[in-house]
């Protein structure tokens, strides 16, 4: 709560722990805050090939897939949607 006080224009997420990352993204979604989230590169990706996409547009990344599944499961109990359409 305290970290997101003041309605930041952008939240940068570089959290490695999936549960903590999920909590942050849920809190940001509830406040309709824009998030830039680092996912799955693990030092293996060419930095010049980074892409900026919605979480539901990521393919071939196990962390993104797991995170999206967990966020969708959590939001089923809430009206509206923040993670995009189901596959």
């Amino acid at each position: 709560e305290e970290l997101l006080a003041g309605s930041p224009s952008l939240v940068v997420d570089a959290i490695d722990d999936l549960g903590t990352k999920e909590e942050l993204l849920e809190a940001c979604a509830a406040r309709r805050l824009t998030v830039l989230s680092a996912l799955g590169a693990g030092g293996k990706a060419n930095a010049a090939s980074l892409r900026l996409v919605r979480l539901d547009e990521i393919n071939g990344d196990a962390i993104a897939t797991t995170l999206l599944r967990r966020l969708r499961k959590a939001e089923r109990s809430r009206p509206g949607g923040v993670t995009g359409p189901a596959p």
Side-chain angles (χ1 to χ4, degrees):
E1 299 292 322
E2 188 177 328
L3 290 174
L4 301 176
S7 298
S9 58
L10 176 68
V11 176
V12 177
D13 159 37
I15 298 170
D16 288 332
D17 178 73
L18 197 57
T20 306
K21 183 181 287 285
E22 179 183 359
E23 288 179 30
L24 175 66
L25 295 179
E26 285 178 341
C28 290
R31 291 167 180 77
R32 309 219 32 97
L33 298 173
T34 301
V35 180
L36 176 63
S37 187
L39 295 168
K44 300 177 197 95
N46 177 351
S49 68
L50 293 178
R51 297 182 311 138
L52 182 61
V53 297
R54 288 177 47 100
L55 184 58
D56 62 335
E57 296 172 341
I58 298 172
N59 295 309
D61 184 294
I63 293 173
T65 301
T66 300
L67 187 57
L68 185 58
R69 185 180 321 119
R70 290 168 82 167
L71 290 170
R72 283 186 173 143
K73 181 178 179 183
E75 85 175 335
R76 284 186 198 128
S77 63
R78 295 189 304 266
V82 295
T83 57

Coordinates of all heavy atoms in Angstrom, one line a residue:
E1 N 0.8 -1.2 0.0 CA 0.0 0.0 0.0 C 0.9 1.3 0.0 O 0.7 2.1 -0.8 CB -0.9 0.0 1.2 CG -1.9 -1.1 1.3 CD -3.0 -1.1 0.2 OE1 -3.4 0.0 -0.1 OE2 -3.3 -2.1 -0.3
E2 N 1.8 1.3 0.9 CA 2.7 2.5 1.1 C 3.5 2.7 -0.2 O 3.7 3.8 -0.6 CB 3.6 2.3 2.3 CG 4.4 3.5 2.6 CD 5.2 3.3 3.9 OE1 4.7 2.6 4.8 OE2 6.3 3.9 4.0
L3 N 4.0 1.6 -0.8 CA 4.8 1.8 -2.0 C 4.1 2.4 -3.2 O 4.7 3.1 -4.0 CB 5.4 0.4 -2.5 CG 6.4 -0.3 -1.6 CD1 6.7 -1.7 -2.1 CD2 7.6 0.6 -1.5
L4 N 2.8 2.2 -3.2 CA 2.0 2.7 -4.4 C 1.2 4.0 -4.0 O 0.4 4.5 -4.8 CB 1.0 1.6 -4.8 CG 1.7 0.3 -5.3 CD1 0.6 -0.7 -5.6 CD2 2.6 0.6 -6.5
A5 N 1.5 4.5 -2.9 CA 0.8 5.8 -2.5 C 1.2 6.9 -3.4 O 2.3 6.9 -4.0 CB 1.2 6.1 -1.0
G6 N 0.3 7.8 -3.6 CA 0.6 9.0 -4.5 C 0.3 8.7 -5.9 O 0.7 9.6 -6.8
S7 N -0.2 7.6 -6.3 CA -0.6 7.3 -7.7 C 0.6 7.5 -8.7 O 0.6 8.5 -9.5 CB -1.8 8.1 -8.1 OG -2.9 7.8 -7.4
P8 N 1.6 6.7 -8.6 CA 2.8 6.9 -9.6 C 2.3 6.7 -11.0 O 1.3 6.0 -11.3 CB 3.7 5.8 -9.2 CG 2.9 4.8 -8.4 CD 1.8 5.5 -7.8
S9 N 3.0 7.4 -11.9 CA 2.6 7.3 -13.3 C 3.1 6.0 -14.0 O 2.6 5.5 -15.0 CB 3.1 8.5 -14.1 OG 4.5 8.6 -14.0
L10 N 4.1 5.4 -13.3 CA 4.7 4.1 -13.8 C 5.3 3.3 -12.7 O 6.0 3.9 -11.8 CB 5.8 4.4 -14.9 CG 6.5 3.2 -15.4 CD1 5.6 2.3 -16.2 CD2 7.7 3.6 -16.3
V11 N 5.1 2.0 -12.6 CA 5.7 1.2 -11.6 C 6.6 0.2 -12.3 O 6.2 -0.4 -13.3 CB 4.6 0.4 -10.8 CG1 5.2 -0.6 -9.9 CG2 3.6 1.3 -10.1
V12 N 7.9 0.2 -11.9 CA 8.9 -0.7 -12.5 C 9.0 -1.9 -11.6 O 9.4 -1.8 -10.4 CB 10.2 0.0 -12.7 CG1 11.2 -0.9 -13.3 CG2 10.0 1.2 -13.6
D13 N 8.8 -3.1 -12.2 CA 8.9 -4.3 -11.4 C 10.0 -5.2 -11.9 O 10.1 -5.6 -13.1 CB 7.5 -5.1 -11.6 CG 7.7 -6.6 -11.3 OD1 8.4 -6.9 -10.4 OD2 7.0 -7.4 -12.0
A14 N 11.0 -5.4 -11.0 CA 12.1 -6.3 -11.3 C 12.2 -7.4 -10.2 O 13.3 -7.9 -9.9 CB 13.4 -5.5 -11.4
I15 N 11.0 -7.8 -9.7 CA 11.0 -8.7 -8.6 C 11.2 -10.1 -9.1 O 10.6 -10.5 -10.1 CB 9.6 -8.6 -7.9 CG1 9.4 -7.2 -7.2 CG2 9.5 -9.7 -6.8 CD1 8.0 -7.0 -6.7
D16 N 12.0 -10.9 -8.4 CA 12.3 -12.3 -8.9 C 11.3 -13.3 -8.3 O 11.0 -14.3 -8.9 CB 13.7 -12.7 -8.5 CG 14.8 -12.0 -9.3 OD1 14.5 -11.7 -10.4 OD2 15.9 -11.8 -8.8
D17 N 10.8 -13.0 -7.1 CA 9.9 -14.0 -6.4 C 8.5 -13.9 -7.1 O 7.9 -12.8 -7.1 CB 9.8 -13.6 -4.9 CG 8.8 -14.5 -4.2 OD1 9.1 -15.7 -4.0 OD2 7.7 -14.0 -3.9
L18 N 8.0 -15.0 -7.6 CA 6.7 -15.0 -8.4 C 5.5 -14.5 -7.5 O 4.7 -13.8 -8.0 CB 6.5 -16.3 -9.0 CG 5.5 -16.4 -10.1 CD1 5.8 -15.5 -11.2 CD2 5.3 -17.8 -10.6
G19 N 5.5 -15.0 -6.3 CA 4.4 -14.6 -5.4 C 4.3 -13.1 -5.1 O 3.3 -12.5 -5.2
T20 N 5.5 -12.5 -4.9 CA 5.6 -11.1 -4.6 C 5.3 -10.3 -5.9 O 4.6 -9.3 -5.8 CB 7.0 -10.8 -4.1 OG1 7.3 -11.6 -2.9 CG2 7.1 -9.3 -3.7
K21 N 5.8 -10.8 -7.0 CA 5.5 -10.1 -8.3 C 4.0 -10.1 -8.5 O 3.4 -9.1 -8.9 CB 6.2 -10.8 -9.4 CG 6.0 -10.2 -10.8 CD 6.7 -11.0 -11.9 CE 8.2 -10.8 -11.8 NZ 8.7 -9.6 -12.3
E22 N 3.3 -11.3 -8.3 CA 1.9 -11.4 -8.4 C 1.1 -10.4 -7.5 O 0.2 -9.7 -8.0 CB 1.4 -12.8 -8.1 CG -0.1 -13.0 -8.2 CD -0.4 -14.4 -7.8 OE1 0.4 -15.3 -7.4 OE2 -1.7 -14.7 -7.8
E23 N 1.5 -10.3 -6.3 CA 0.9 -9.3 -5.4 C 1.0 -7.9 -5.9 O 0.1 -7.1 -5.8 CB 1.5 -9.4 -4.0 CG 1.1 -10.7 -3.2 CD 1.8 -10.8 -1.9 OE1 2.0 -9.7 -1.3 OE2 2.0 -11.9 -1.4
L24 N 2.2 -7.5 -6.3 CA 2.5 -6.2 -6.9 C 1.6 -5.9 -8.1 O 0.9 -4.9 -8.2 CB 3.9 -6.0 -7.2 CG 4.2 -4.6 -7.9 CD1 4.0 -3.5 -6.9 CD2 5.6 -4.6 -8.4
L25 N 1.5 -6.8 -9.0 CA 0.7 -6.6 -10.2 C -0.7 -6.6 -9.9 O -1.5 -5.8 -10.5 CB 1.0 -7.8 -11.2 CG 2.4 -7.8 -11.8 CD1 2.6 -8.9 -12.8 CD2 2.8 -6.5 -12.4
E26 N -1.2 -7.4 -9.0 CA -2.6 -7.3 -8.5 C -2.9 -5.9 -7.9 O -4.0 -5.3 -8.2 CB -3.0 -8.4 -7.6 CG -3.1 -9.7 -8.2 CD -3.4 -10.8 -7.2 OE1 -3.2 -10.6 -6.0 OE2 -3.9 -11.9 -7.6
A27 N -2.0 -5.4 -7.1 CA -2.2 -4.1 -6.4 C -2.2 -3.0 -7.5 O -3.0 -2.1 -7.4 CB -1.2 -3.9 -5.4
C28 N -1.3 -3.1 -8.4 CA -1.3 -2.1 -9.5 C -2.5 -2.1 -10.4 O -3.1 -1.1 -10.8 CB 0.0 -2.3 -10.4 SG 1.5 -1.9 -9.5
A29 N -3.0 -3.3 -10.7 CA -4.2 -3.5 -11.5 C -5.4 -2.9 -10.8 O -6.2 -2.2 -11.4 CB -4.4 -5.0 -11.9
A30 N -5.5 -3.2 -9.5 CA -6.6 -2.6 -8.8 C -6.6 -1.1 -8.8 O -7.7 -0.5 -8.7 CB -6.6 -3.1 -7.3
R31 N -5.4 -0.5 -8.9 CA -5.3 1.0 -8.9 C -5.2 1.5 -10.3 O -5.0 2.7 -10.5 CB -4.1 1.4 -8.1 CG -4.2 1.1 -6.6 CD -2.9 1.2 -5.9 NE -3.0 1.0 -4.5 CZ -3.1 -0.2 -3.9 NH1 -3.1 -1.3 -4.7 NH2 -3.2 -0.3 -2.6
R32 N -5.3 0.6 -11.3 CA -5.2 0.9 -12.7 C -3.9 1.7 -13.0 O -3.8 2.6 -13.8 CB -6.4 1.8 -13.2 CG -7.7 1.1 -12.8 CD -8.8 1.0 -13.6 NE -8.8 1.0 -15.1 CZ -8.9 -0.1 -15.8 NH1 -9.0 -1.3 -15.2 NH2 -8.9 -0.1 -17.1
L33 N -2.8 1.2 -12.4 CA -1.4 1.8 -12.6 C -0.7 1.0 -13.7 O -0.8 -0.2 -13.8 CB -0.6 1.7 -11.4 CG -1.1 2.5 -10.1 CD1 -0.3 2.1 -8.9 CD2 -1.2 3.9 -10.4
T34 N 0.1 1.7 -14.5 CA 0.9 1.1 -15.6 C 2.1 0.5 -15.0 O 2.8 1.1 -14.1 CB 1.3 2.2 -16.6 OG1 0.1 2.8 -17.2 CG2 2.1 1.6 -17.7
V35 N 2.4 -0.7 -15.4 CA 3.6 -1.5 -14.8 C 4.5 -1.9 -16.0 O 4.1 -2.4 -17.0 CB 3.1 -2.7 -14.1 CG1 4.3 -3.5 -13.5 CG2 2.1 -2.4 -13.0
L36 N 5.8 -1.7 -15.8 CA 6.8 -2.2 -16.6 C 7.5 -3.4 -15.8 O 8.1 -3.1 -14.8 CB 7.9 -1.2 -17.0 CG 9.1 -1.6 -17.8 CD1 8.6 -2.1 -19.2 CD2 10.1 -0.5 -18.0
S37 N 7.3 -4.6 -16.3 CA 7.7 -5.8 -15.5 C 8.7 -6.6 -16.3 O 8.5 -6.9 -17.4 CB 6.4 -6.6 -15.3 OG 6.7 -7.7 -14.4
A38 N 9.8 -6.9 -15.6 CA 10.9 -7.7 -16.2 C 10.5 -9.2 -15.9 O 10.2 -9.6 -14.8 CB 12.2 -7.4 -15.5
L39 N 10.5 -10.0 -17.0 CA 10.1 -11.4 -17.0 C 11.2 -12.3 -17.7 O 11.6 -11.9 -18.7 CB 8.8 -11.6 -17.6 CG 7.6 -10.9 -17.0 CD1 6.4 -11.0 -17.9 CD2 7.3 -11.6 -15.7
G40 N 11.5 -13.4 -17.1 CA 12.1 -14.5 -17.7 C 13.4 -14.4 -18.5 O 13.8 -15.4 -19.0
A41 N 14.0 -13.3 -18.6 CA 15.2 -13.2 -19.5 C 16.4 -14.0 -18.8 O 17.2 -14.7 -19.4 CB 15.6 -11.8 -19.8
G42 N 16.5 -13.8 -17.5 CA 17.6 -14.5 -16.7 C 19.0 -14.3 -17.3 O 19.8 -15.2 -17.2
G43 N 19.3 -13.2 -17.9 CA 20.6 -12.9 -18.4 C 20.8 -13.7 -19.7 O 21.9 -13.7 -20.2
K44 N 19.8 -14.3 -20.3 CA 20.0 -15.1 -21.5 C 19.6 -14.4 -22.8 O 19.8 -14.9 -23.9 CB 19.2 -16.4 -21.4 CG 19.5 -17.3 -20.2 CD 18.6 -18.5 -20.2 CE 18.7 -19.1 -18.8 NZ 17.7 -18.7 -17.9
A45 N 18.9 -13.2 -22.6 CA 18.4 -12.6 -23.8 C 19.3 -11.4 -24.3 O 20.0 -10.8 -23.5 CB 17.0 -12.0 -23.5
N46 N 19.2 -11.2 -25.6 CA 19.9 -10.0 -26.1 C 19.1 -8.8 -25.8 O 17.9 -8.6 -26.2 CB 19.9 -10.2 -27.7 CG 20.5 -9.0 -28.4 OD1 20.8 -8.0 -27.8 ND2 20.8 -9.2 -29.7
A47 N 19.7 -7.8 -25.1 CA 18.9 -6.6 -24.6 C 18.4 -5.8 -25.8 O 17.4 -5.2 -25.6 CB 19.9 -5.8 -23.8
A48 N 19.0 -5.9 -26.9 CA 18.5 -5.2 -28.1 C 17.1 -5.8 -28.6 O 16.5 -5.2 -29.4 CB 19.5 -5.2 -29.2
S49 N 16.8 -7.0 -28.2 CA 15.6 -7.7 -28.7 C 14.4 -7.6 -27.7 O 13.5 -8.3 -27.9 CB 15.9 -9.1 -29.1 OG 16.2 -9.9 -27.9
L50 N 14.5 -6.8 -26.7 CA 13.5 -6.7 -25.7 C 12.2 -6.1 -26.4 O 12.3 -5.2 -27.3 CB 13.9 -5.8 -24.5 CG 15.0 -6.3 -23.7 CD1 15.4 -5.3 -22.6 CD2 14.6 -7.6 -23.0
R51 N 11.1 -6.5 -25.9 CA 9.8 -6.1 -26.5 C 8.9 -5.5 -25.3 O 9.0 -6.1 -24.2 CB 9.0 -7.2 -27.2 CG 9.8 -7.7 -28.4 CD 9.0 -8.8 -29.1 NE 8.5 -9.8 -28.1 CZ 7.2 -10.3 -28.2 NH1 6.4 -10.0 -29.1 NH2 6.9 -11.3 -27.3
L52 N 8.1 -4.6 -25.6 CA 7.1 -4.0 -24.7 C 5.8 -4.5 -25.1 O 5.3 -4.0 -26.2 CB 7.2 -2.5 -24.7 CG 6.3 -1.8 -23.7 CD1 6.6 -2.2 -22.2 CD2 6.5 -0.3 -23.8
V53 N 5.2 -5.4 -24.4 CA 3.9 -6.0 -24.7 C 3.1 -6.2 -23.5 O 3.6 -6.2 -22.4 CB 4.0 -7.3 -25.5 CG1 4.7 -7.1 -26.8 CG2 4.7 -8.4 -24.7
R54 N 1.8 -6.4 -23.7 CA 0.9 -6.8 -22.5 C 1.2 -8.2 -22.1 O 1.7 -9.0 -22.9 CB -0.6 -6.7 -23.0 CG -1.1 -5.3 -23.2 CD -2.6 -5.4 -23.7 NE -3.4 -6.3 -22.9 CZ -4.2 -6.0 -22.0 NH1 -4.4 -4.7 -21.6 NH2 -5.0 -6.9 -21.3
L55 N 1.0 -8.5 -20.9 CA 1.3 -9.8 -20.3 C 0.6 -10.9 -21.1 O 1.2 -12.0 -21.4 CB 0.9 -9.9 -18.8 CG 1.2 -11.1 -18.1 CD1 2.7 -11.4 -18.1 CD2 0.7 -11.0 -16.7
D56 N -0.6 -10.7 -21.6 CA -1.3 -11.7 -22.3 C -0.9 -11.8 -23.8 O -1.4 -12.7 -24.5 CB -2.8 -11.5 -22.3 CG -3.3 -10.2 -22.9 OD1 -2.5 -9.2 -23.0 OD2 -4.4 -10.1 -23.3
E57 N 0.1 -11.0 -24.2 CA 0.7 -11.1 -25.6 C 2.0 -11.8 -25.6 O 2.6 -12.0 -26.6 CB 0.8 -9.7 -26.1 CG -0.5 -9.0 -26.3 CD -0.3 -7.6 -26.7 OE1 0.8 -7.0 -26.6 OE2 -1.3 -7.0 -27.2
I58 N 2.5 -12.3 -24.4 CA 3.8 -13.0 -24.4 C 3.7 -14.4 -24.7 O 2.8 -15.1 -24.2 CB 4.4 -12.8 -22.9 CG1 4.6 -11.3 -22.6 CG2 5.7 -13.6 -22.8 CD1 5.1 -11.0 -21.2
N59 N 4.6 -14.9 -25.5 CA 4.6 -16.3 -25.9 C 5.9 -17.0 -25.6 O 6.9 -16.4 -25.7 CB 4.3 -16.5 -27.4 CG 3.0 -16.0 -27.8 OD1 2.0 -16.4 -27.3 ND2 2.9 -15.2 -28.9
G60 N 5.9 -18.2 -25.1 CA 7.1 -19.0 -24.9 C 7.9 -18.6 -23.7 O 9.1 -18.9 -23.6
D61 N 7.2 -18.0 -22.7 CA 7.9 -17.6 -21.5 C 7.2 -18.3 -20.3 O 6.1 -17.9 -20.0 CB 8.0 -16.1 -21.3 CG 8.7 -15.7 -20.1 OD1 8.3 -16.0 -19.0 OD2 9.8 -15.0 -20.3
A62 N 7.8 -19.3 -19.7 CA 7.2 -20.0 -18.6 C 6.7 -19.1 -17.4 O 5.7 -19.3 -16.8 CB 8.1 -21.1 -18.1
I63 N 7.6 -18.2 -17.1 CA 7.2 -17.3 -16.0 C 6.0 -16.4 -16.3 O 5.1 -16.3 -15.5 CB 8.4 -16.4 -15.6 CG1 9.5 -17.2 -15.0 CG2 8.0 -15.3 -14.6 CD1 10.8 -16.5 -14.7
A64 N 6.0 -15.9 -17.5 CA 4.8 -15.1 -17.9 C 3.5 -15.9 -18.0 O 2.5 -15.5 -17.5 CB 5.1 -14.4 -19.3
T65 N 3.6 -17.1 -18.5 CA 2.5 -18.0 -18.5 C 1.9 -18.3 -17.2 O 0.7 -18.3 -16.9 CB 2.8 -19.3 -19.3 OG1 3.3 -19.0 -20.6 CG2 1.7 -20.3 -19.4
T66 N 2.8 -18.7 -16.2 CA 2.4 -19.0 -14.9 C 1.8 -17.8 -14.2 O 0.8 -17.9 -13.5 CB 3.6 -19.5 -14.1 OG1 4.1 -20.7 -14.7 CG2 3.2 -19.8 -12.6
L67 N 2.5 -16.7 -14.3 CA 2.0 -15.4 -13.7 C 0.6 -15.0 -14.3 O -0.3 -14.7 -13.5 CB 3.0 -14.3 -14.0 CG 2.7 -13.0 -13.3 CD1 2.6 -13.2 -11.8 CD2 3.8 -12.0 -13.6
L68 N 0.4 -15.1 -15.6 CA -0.9 -14.8 -16.2 C -2.0 -15.7 -15.7 O -3.1 -15.3 -15.3 CB -0.8 -14.8 -17.7 CG -2.0 -14.4 -18.5 CD1 -2.4 -13.0 -18.1 CD2 -1.8 -14.5 -20.0
R69 N -1.7 -17.0 -15.6 CA -2.6 -18.0 -15.1 C -3.0 -17.7 -13.6 O -4.2 -17.7 -13.3 CB -2.0 -19.4 -15.1 CG -3.0 -20.5 -14.8 CD -2.4 -21.9 -14.8 NE -1.5 -22.1 -16.0 CZ -0.3 -22.5 -15.9 NH1 0.3 -22.6 -14.7 NH2 0.5 -22.7 -16.9
R70 N -2.1 -17.3 -12.8 CA -2.3 -17.0 -11.4 C -3.2 -15.7 -11.3 O -4.1 -15.7 -10.5 CB -1.0 -16.9 -10.6 CG -0.3 -18.2 -10.4 CD 1.1 -18.1 -9.9 NE 1.1 -17.9 -8.5 CZ 2.2 -18.0 -7.8 NH1 3.3 -18.3 -8.3 NH2 2.2 -17.8 -6.5
L71 N -2.8 -14.7 -12.1 CA -3.6 -13.5 -12.1 C -5.0 -13.7 -12.5 O -5.9 -13.1 -12.0 CB -2.9 -12.4 -12.9 CG -1.5 -11.9 -12.3 CD1 -0.8 -11.0 -13.3 CD2 -1.8 -11.1 -11.0
R72 N -5.2 -14.4 -13.6 CA -6.6 -14.7 -14.1 C -7.4 -15.4 -13.0 O -8.6 -15.2 -12.9 CB -6.5 -15.5 -15.4 CG -6.1 -14.6 -16.5 CD -6.2 -15.4 -17.8 NE -6.0 -14.4 -19.0 CZ -5.4 -14.8 -20.1 NH1 -4.9 -16.0 -20.2 NH2 -5.2 -13.9 -21.0
K73 N -6.8 -16.4 -12.4 CA -7.5 -17.2 -11.3 C -7.9 -16.2 -10.2 O -9.0 -16.3 -9.7 CB -6.6 -18.3 -10.8 CG -7.2 -19.1 -9.7 CD -6.3 -20.2 -9.3 CE -7.0 -21.1 -8.2 NZ -6.1 -22.1 -7.7
A74 N -7.0 -15.3 -9.8 CA -7.3 -14.4 -8.7 C -8.4 -13.4 -9.1 O -9.2 -13.0 -8.3 CB -6.1 -13.6 -8.3
E75 N -8.4 -13.0 -10.4 CA -9.4 -12.0 -10.8 C -10.8 -12.5 -11.1 O -11.7 -11.7 -11.3 CB -8.9 -11.1 -12.0 CG -9.1 -11.7 -13.3 CD -8.6 -10.8 -14.4 OE1 -8.6 -9.5 -14.2 OE2 -8.3 -11.3 -15.5
R76 N -10.9 -13.8 -11.2 CA -12.3 -14.4 -11.4 C -13.3 -13.9 -10.4 O -14.5 -13.9 -10.7 CB -12.2 -15.9 -11.5 CG -11.6 -16.4 -12.7 CD -11.7 -18.0 -12.8 NE -10.7 -18.4 -13.8 CZ -9.8 -19.4 -13.6 NH1 -9.8 -20.0 -12.4 NH2 -9.0 -19.7 -14.5
S77 N -12.8 -13.6 -9.2 CA -13.8 -13.2 -8.2 C -14.0 -11.7 -8.2 O -14.8 -11.2 -7.4 CB -13.2 -13.6 -6.8 OG -12.0 -12.9 -6.6
R78 N -13.4 -11.0 -9.1 CA -13.6 -9.5 -9.2 C -14.2 -9.2 -10.5 O -14.0 -9.8 -11.6 CB -12.2 -8.8 -9.1 CG -11.5 -9.0 -7.8 CD -10.3 -8.1 -7.7 NE -9.3 -8.3 -8.8 CZ -8.3 -9.1 -8.7 NH1 -8.1 -9.8 -7.7 NH2 -7.5 -9.2 -9.7
P79 N -15.1 -8.2 -10.5 CA -15.7 -7.7 -11.8 C -14.7 -7.0 -12.7 O -13.7 -6.5 -12.2 CB -16.8 -6.7 -11.4 CG -16.3 -6.3 -10.0 CD -15.6 -7.4 -9.4
G80 N -14.9 -7.1 -14.0 CA -13.9 -6.4 -14.9 C -12.8 -7.3 -15.2 O -12.6 -8.4 -14.6
G81 N -11.9 -6.9 -16.0 CA -10.7 -7.7 -16.3 C -9.5 -6.8 -16.6 O -9.6 -5.7 -17.1
V82 N -8.3 -7.2 -16.1 CA -7.1 -6.4 -16.3 C -6.0 -7.2 -17.0 O -5.0 -6.6 -17.4 CB -6.6 -5.9 -14.9 CG1 -7.6 -5.0 -14.3 CG2 -6.3 -7.0 -14.0
T83 N -6.2 -8.5 -17.2 CA -5.1 -9.3 -17.7 C -5.4 -9.7 -19.2 O -4.6 -10.4 -19.8 CB -4.8 -10.6 -16.9 OG1 -6.0 -11.3 -16.8 CG2 -4.3 -10.2 -15.5
G84 N -6.5 -9.2 -19.7 CA -6.8 -9.5 -21.1 C -7.6 -10.7 -21.3 O -7.9 -11.4 -20.3
P85 N -8.0 -11.1 -22.5 CA -8.8 -12.2 -22.7 C -8.1 -13.5 -22.4 O -6.9 -13.7 -22.5 CB -9.2 -12.1 -24.2 CG -8.0 -11.3 -24.8 CD -7.6 -10.4 -23.7
A86 N -8.9 -14.5 -22.1 CA -8.4 -15.9 -21.9 C -8.0 -16.5 -23.2 O -8.6 -16.2 -24.2 CB -9.4 -16.7 -21.2
P87 N -7.0 -17.3 -23.2 CA -6.5 -17.9 -24.5 C -7.6 -18.9 -25.0 O -8.4 -19.4 -24.4 CB -5.2 -18.7 -24.1 CG -5.2 -18.8 -22.6 CD -6.2 -17.7 -22.1

